[in-house]
Amino acid sequence: MKILVLGSGAREHAIVLALCAEDAPHEILAAPGNAGIGEQATIVDVDMLDPGAVTGFAQEHGVDLVVVGPEAPLVAGVADALRERGIPVFGPGAKAAQLEGSKAFAKRIMQQADVPTGRAAHARDLDETAEALDEFGAPYVVKADGLASGKGVIVTDDRDAALAHAAAFLPQGPVLVEEFLSGPEVSLFFLSDGDTVRPLTPAQDFKRALDGDEGPNTGGMGAYTPLPWLAERFGSVAGFVDEVTRTVAEPVVRAMDEDGSPFIGLLYAGLIVTDAGVRVIEFNARFGDPETQVVLPRLETPLSRLLMSAAKGTLEDEPAPAFSDEAVVTVVLASEGYPAAPVTGREITGVEEAEGIEGVHVAHAATARVGQRLVATGGRVLNVVARGATFAEARQRAYAAMDRISLEGAHFRTDIAARVA
Ligand code: AMP
Ligand code: GLY
């Protein structure tokens, strides 16, 4: 197949690597890509945010399938334009992508679908914010409504800080004040063809910048899968997956269809497992980053087949995606100053040496080649991904690999998957 992958992060590199690992060879094109993606795919010059340009490129080059990685092209209507021309695309249209882009839209769909989620109130000004904060009590959760690259959410015991956060986002529209949900977070992805839903396997993301879940929220500093502790609560991991499929993914996909915005692509359910049961904290309309980097290495079913079936509406005919039992851990290497103000342009060394360790590969995020040198071009620079028979082995390999990589001023978390090892 000729597959065009849109995006430039470690998530897209993970997708490209999974496509390359299949038995049947594919021709993979990527835009804009990064230095790592460029090793497996042909980087092509097309503006991924321009629906006309992507569609024109796909037609001209006989692309069989377009896979949209990040949310921005979805919101820009790239999937709509491709679908209109009959080009198979994995990714929802702009309207359906609001499930991620608008917290208010997501809450409405959740209500319609009767999906378990926290109580929430919309506040249009500071008085309404204060009222809602006092109703729900501390810890306080305040969320901006639109896409804010992970910066729109504050969780704090400090009422003044919660109010200040609201004040910063209120000029752009109402904010959401939510009940605080306590418990471990789980990310679970579903493939959807607009009608049929197929779950992938749960992973856990580490969103805070520093060890011990301290520091600011980030795009994600590491992840691991599988989640053995889910079995304690749900009998088995499959029991958990079945429950979330039944109570969350299937009703949401049905509600989206009824809403006139069928969801074709990846439904990402961000969940908190509370004492009272599983609750949704957010949906995304795309693969999660960095969870994808650990989920896809365990996938035994050809990814291209799953993505194509979702794009074509034939998921019902496919067997459930199968996963290996191995432990997979990913650790993100971030630039100095990330997330507030990442320093870019510095040289990265030791990637090849890191990949010399058994079970290890590197998924590139913000990297570019400048002559012979590999340089960091953004905040989350790369992911070390390590597989092992156990989490202890996977962690040992991941951190041994990280030790071989150098980037001045860079930082990473040292406690990814520590609790399960
Ligand atoms: P979101 O962008 O909605 O995923 O929120 C970012 C992070 O804030 C989540 O990964 C959680 O760690 C935390 N968070 C969001 N909503 C809640 C909530 N209602 N209760 C507790 N933590 C939350
Ligand atoms: N891992 C968080 C996200 O992809 O939004």
Side-chain angles (χ1 to χ4, degrees):
M1 257 194 258
K2 197 177 218 182
I3 305 172
L4 172 63
V5 177
L6 299 181
S8 62
R11 163 185 51 208
E12 287 76 24
H13 197 192
I15 291 169
V16 167
L17 288 167
L19 293 170
C20 288
E22 292 179 19
D23 291 339
H26 299 295
E27 181 180 351
I28 302 173
L29 311 175
N34 59 38
I37 292 172
E39 285 170 26
Q40 285 90 29
T42 305
I43 305 292
V44 296
D45 184 20
V46 50
D47 178 0
M48 70 166 179
L49 297 178
D50 180 343
V54 174
T55 309
F57 179 92
Q59 276 182 322
E60 195 179 319
H61 293 84
V63 169
D64 298 302
L65 172 68
V66 179
V67 181
V68 184
E71 60 271 36
L74 300 171
V75 172
V78 165
D80 299 292
L82 288 161
R83 221 167 267 127
E84 262 166 41
R85 298 287 178 88
I87 301 164
V89 51
F90 184 80
K95 204 171 160 216
Q98 284 184 87
L99 200 54
E100 168 166 0
S102 162
K103 303 245 182 229
F105 179 86
K107 280 281 175 197
R108 181 168 69 71
I109 290 290
M110 281 192 257
Q111 249 165 20
Q112 217 170 302
D114 203 15
V115 162
T117 181
R119 289 181 301 144
H122 285 276
R124 283 163 300 186
D125 55 37
L126 278 179
D127 286 342
E128 287 185 9
T129 306
E131 203 176 305
L133 291 175
D134 295 337
E135 185 193 336
F136 296 136
Y140 304 106
V141 182
V142 179
K143 300 185 177 183
D145 187 51
L147 289 173
S149 308
K151 297 194 177 100
V153 178
I154 192 172
V155 180
T156 177
D157 282 320
D158 180 346
R159 189 172 176 277
D160 290 337
L163 282 170
H165 186 80
F169 285 99
L170 278 168
Q172 292 147 46
V175 296
L176 206 62
V177 178
E178 263 182 30
E179 159 191 25
F180 176 80
L181 298 167
S182 173
E185 281 184 50
V186 177
S187 303
L188 184 55
F189 303 157
F190 299 87
L191 304 165
S192 169
D193 65 5
D195 182 29
T196 299
V197 168
R198 290 278 183 258
L200 299 185
T201 194
Q204 189 166 55
D205 174 20
F206 291 71
K207 286 215 170 78
R208 299 294 192 105
L210 307 175
D211 282 1
D213 293 330
E214 301 284 341
N217 252 320
T218 70
M221 294 298 290
Y224 70 91
T225 184
L227 307 183
W229 47 269
L230 280 173
E232 287 159 30
R233 267 290 287 280
F234 296 87
S236 63
V237 174
F240 170 83
V241 171
D242 287 347
E243 180 176 321
V244 180
T245 304
R246 213 169 11 85
T247 61
V248 176
E250 287 176 349
V252 162
V253 166
R254 211 175 304 127
M256 294 292 286
D257 192 34
E258 285 163 9
D259 193 64
S261 37
F263 192 94
I264 299 166
L266 193 115
L267 176 65
Y268 166 140
L271 308 163
I272 293 191
V273 183
T274 74
D275 288 341
V278 180
R279 300 282 183 272
V280 173
I281 46 168
E282 65 162 346
F283 287 118
N284 293 314
R286 46 153 183 94
F287 280 101
D289 188 345
E291 298 96 313
T292 302
Q293 289 86 300
V294 290
V295 166
L296 292 186
R298 290 184 51 221
L299 178 67
E300 290 175 332
T301 316
L303 179 64
S304 63
R305 191 168 151 177
L306 294 172
L307 301 183
M308 186 58 118
S309 307
K312 286 193 161 168
T314 58
L315 262 185
E316 199 183 13
D317 306 332
E318 293 294 320
F323 291 89
S324 73
D325 290 335
E326 64 193 333
V328 188
V329 172
T330 188
V331 183
V332 172
L333 183 72
S335 291
E336 179 177 352
Y338 177 79
V343 179
T344 61
R346 290 181 178 158
E347 185 173 8
I348 310 155
T349 58
V351 169
E352 239 173 76
E353 291 79 357
E355 291 193 312
I357 294 174
E358 194 184 342
V360 170
H361 68 267
V362 171
H364 288 237
T367 66
R369 291 247 170 240
V370 177
Q372 294 300 312
R373 299 183 325 145
L374 184 66
V375 300
T377 58
R380 289 193 295 172
V381 176
L382 56 79
N383 288 52
V384 164
V385 184
R387 308 154 170 245
T390 61
F391 280 111
E393 185 176 57
R395 269 175 56 78
Q396 186 273 326
R397 289 172 172 177
Y399 285 108
M402 205 50 120
D403 278 348
R404 295 188 178 182
I405 298 176
S406 296
L407 168 63
E408 188 193 333
H411 60 100
F412 58 87
R413 279 184 65 159
T414 66
D415 62 347
I416 306 300
R419 257 171 304 159
V420 289

